[in-house]
Amino acid sequence: MAEKMFPHRRNTKTVLIGNLKVGGGNPILVQSMTDTDTEDVVATARQIEELAIAGSEIVRITVNSQKAAAAVPNIKNILVKKNISTPLVGDFHYNGDKLLKDNPECASLLDKFRINPGNVGFGSTRDTRFLSMIEMACKHEKPIRIGVNWGSLDQSVLARTMDDNASRAKKASSREIMREALIKSALESAFKANAYGLPNDKIILSCKVSDVQDLIVIYRELAKSCSFPLHLGLTEAGIGSKAVVASTAALSILLQEGIGDTIRISLTPEPNGDRSREVRVAQEILQTMGIRSFVPLVVSCPGCGRTSSVFFQELAEKIQEFLRLKIAVWKHKYPGVEEMKVAVMGCVVNGPGESKHANLGISLPGNGEVPVAPVYENGQKTVTLKGDNIAEDFQEIISKYVEREYLDNRTANTK
């Protein structure tokens, strides 16, 4: 899954999270977060496993109580037995200093701490409690993410920014003040962590909002103002297609500009929905932009009056699912297979042409067309399928193609 580097990728410090390198020109990593009660060891470990299998390279868990903190070693034990080494991030709010101090094994086993400067402490306790968390990070040699969120912005920073604005000749809008306060909160917290002894290569920043234009403006300014790696995400993105579209719109612009070192898509799951969907969306954003490759993707047409049935739709879905299931094994046996492109087309208009542009393609018969499906491999027609087993036959063709075409890659990597 080598990254196809953009020449203008932002230069940052490299931060080590577990065994992964973040920033410094390393691949942009996909992150997710559990929604289980962390006190439920079995359920949380199961969901971490599901997210890891889906491709989440970093997983964040809520650590909000003594029982949740005490559960972390047990969760880690289950994951180790399953040979899952995905780095775990502890998400702390309000009482993180106490939880880390009271549960040193939790502090030792987590791979990163997430600190929200808006609720790490209040009034006279703020600096003391922030210092306590930084001391724990230093003691256990853990990186931190200073994660500012406009839903829980440090009110003292906001008040100070408003006071500064009042003395200016040209007044900023309330929206501009909010943006400025978010950036200021992140940078001031990072510099304070430096002053307390945490080096720059242990710090990642984020400034999350739920508005696309605000996110773009904030991250552009943040990227110009520091060399810390940045975690991207549109917070409270919403549910369904709206959330996917909004997250894609915001993150794609920033990624294209070379901004961002880890990403998370904060989707509200459908009732009893699959939490792993946020991982797939993040992967698809990176892959469709040509930044990284994770799984062979299916190119398929939307259908029109020429397509006679839903068969091509069902076939496209079946083939995409087939590829997702196979990639877990293929990516280890056949390097580069995740970049393979498969076309499933519904009629003769664009079917053969699109199939020729893909590694593998199949063009199904539309209305009035001969009931056969030509298959193309590397631009050349190789076979014509027909009958009731087209899906199964095409899957077999794909498997044989992978074994044949990507075997050289495997051989080359072992030399």
Side-chain angles (χ1 to χ4, degrees):
M1 292 187 293
E3 183 164 84
K4 303 165 187 177
M5 299 297 292
F6 287 172
H8 54 280
R9 176 83 182 277
R10 176 174 170 264
N11 186 33
T12 70
K13 302 289 183 182
T14 298
V15 176
L16 193 64
I17 303 177
N19 59 354
L20 297 178
K21 292 180 179 179
V22 174
N26 290 289
I28 297 167
L29 300 179
V30 172
Q31 181 170 321
S32 61
M33 185 175 184
T34 59
D35 61 358
T36 55
D37 183 346
T38 307
E39 295 180 19
D40 188 335
V41 172
V42 174
T44 302
R46 184 189 304 119
Q47 191 171 79
I48 293 169
E49 180 182 11
E50 291 169 354
L51 292 168
I53 290 172
S56 183
E57 293 159 305
I58 302 171
V59 177
R60 182 158 49 113
I61 62 174
T62 297
V63 185
N64 60 336
S65 68
Q66 292 288 350
K67 289 183 178 180
V72 170
N74 296 324
I75 292 168
K76 196 79 171 181
N77 284 338
I78 293 175
L79 297 176
V80 168
K81 289 177 181 178
K82 290 178 174 287
N83 201 31
I84 297 171
S85 58
T86 304
L88 297 186
V89 180
D91 194 49
F92 294 98
H93 298 274
Y94 306 110
N95 58 353
D97 58 323
K98 180 172 176 56
L99 295 179
L100 287 169
K101 185 177 180 180
D102 292 348
N103 298 272
E105 191 175 5
C106 168
S108 176
L109 290 174
L110 289 171
D111 296 287
K112 185 176 73 171
F113 308 154
R114 187 274 176 123
I115 303 173
N116 184 343
N119 56 37
V120 71
F122 301 95
S124 60
T125 69
R126 183 185 305 277
D127 286 350
T128 302
R129 298 179 71 176
F130 184 77
L131 171 60
S132 177
M133 294 195 75
I134 299 304
E135 287 177 336
M136 292 299 291
C138 291
K139 178 181 178 180
H140 294 281
E141 299 184 330
K142 302 296 181 181
I144 66 168
R145 172 160 69 93
I146 294 173
V148 182
N149 191 302
W150 73 350
S152 51
L153 177 60
D154 185 337
Q155 293 302 297
S156 65
V157 175
L158 178 59
R160 180 157 38 92
T161 306
M162 292 173 68
D163 290 342
D164 291 342
N165 184 62
S167 64
R168 297 169 184 163
K170 185 178 180 180
K171 303 293 188 292
S173 68
S174 58
R175 194 169 185 174
E176 291 170 329
I177 292 171
M178 176 68 79
R179 293 169 176 168
E180 183 181 343
L182 284 161
I183 296 168
K184 190 178 293 184
S185 178
L187 292 175
E188 288 181 355
S189 297
F191 298 146
K192 190 178 293 183
N194 284 158
Y196 290 158
L198 193 68
N200 283 343
D201 63 1
K202 294 288 188 184
I203 299 173
I204 295 173
L205 300 184
S206 68
C207 284
K208 291 191 175 184
V209 297
S210 57
D211 181 88
V212 170
Q213 295 298 336
D214 284 323
L215 192 84
I216 293 168
V217 171
I218 288 168
Y219 271 89
R220 281 174 172 166
E221 187 59 35
L222 194 60
K224 288 190 298 184
S225 303
C226 71
S227 61
F228 299 112
L230 300 179
H231 171 68
L232 297 187
L234 193 72
T235 192
E236 288 94 40
I239 193 168
S241 60
K242 178 266 178 187
V244 174
V245 170
S247 295
T248 303
L251 269 60
S252 295
I253 291 172
L254 293 169
L255 292 168
Q256 185 66 26
E257 295 178 4
I259 299 171
D261 301 283
T262 64
I263 67 171
R264 186 207 169 188
I265 309 301
S266 299
L267 304 180
T268 302
E270 306 285 349
N272 301 312
D274 181 7
R275 189 70 169 180
S276 300
R277 188 184 181 210
E278 67 177 50
V279 178
R280 291 193 293 273
V281 173
Q283 290 179 331
E284 287 166 2
I285 289 173
L286 293 173
Q287 185 149 354
T288 55
M289 290 187 69
I291 297 174
R292 288 186 67 184
S293 296
F294 298 91
V295 61
L297 294 181
V298 170
V299 175
S300 58
C301 66
C304 66
R306 288 179 176 271
T307 51
S308 58
S309 71
V310 298
F311 179 67
F312 84 94
Q313 300 164 342
E314 294 170 345
L315 180 61
E317 183 177 22
K318 186 176 291 187
I319 295 302
Q320 184 68 81
E321 186 60 28
F322 170 76
L323 294 171
R324 285 198 173 277
L325 290 173
K326 286 289 188 179
I327 193 62
V329 174
W330 282 353
K331 67 182 179 182
H332 299 295
K333 294 181 66 177
Y334 307 111
V337 69
E338 62 272 8
E339 298 181 15
M340 185 174 67
K341 182 178 175 183
V342 180
V344 178
M345 304 300 291
C347 79
V348 73
V349 174
N350 292 319
E354 192 68 55
S355 295
K356 290 177 183 177
H357 289 306
N359 297 88
L360 279 159
I362 185 169
S363 181
L364 298 175
N367 289 332
E369 296 177 20
V370 178
V372 295
V375 173
Y376 295 81
E377 299 182 37
N378 297 332
Q380 300 297 317
K381 181 180 174 182
T382 57
V383 67
T384 298
L385 301 180
K386 54 187 174 181
D388 298 328
N389 298 312
I390 287 179
E392 292 75 14
D393 292 343
F394 189 49
Q395 288 174 359
E396 184 177 353
I397 289 171
I398 293 172
S399 294
K400 290 181 178 179
Y401 178 90
V402 169
E403 293 171 6
R404 182 179 70 250
E405 295 292 323
Y406 294 94
L407 179 61
D408 289 343
N409 290 350
R410 183 182 63 177
T411 304
N413 283 3
T414 59
K415 290 182 179 179

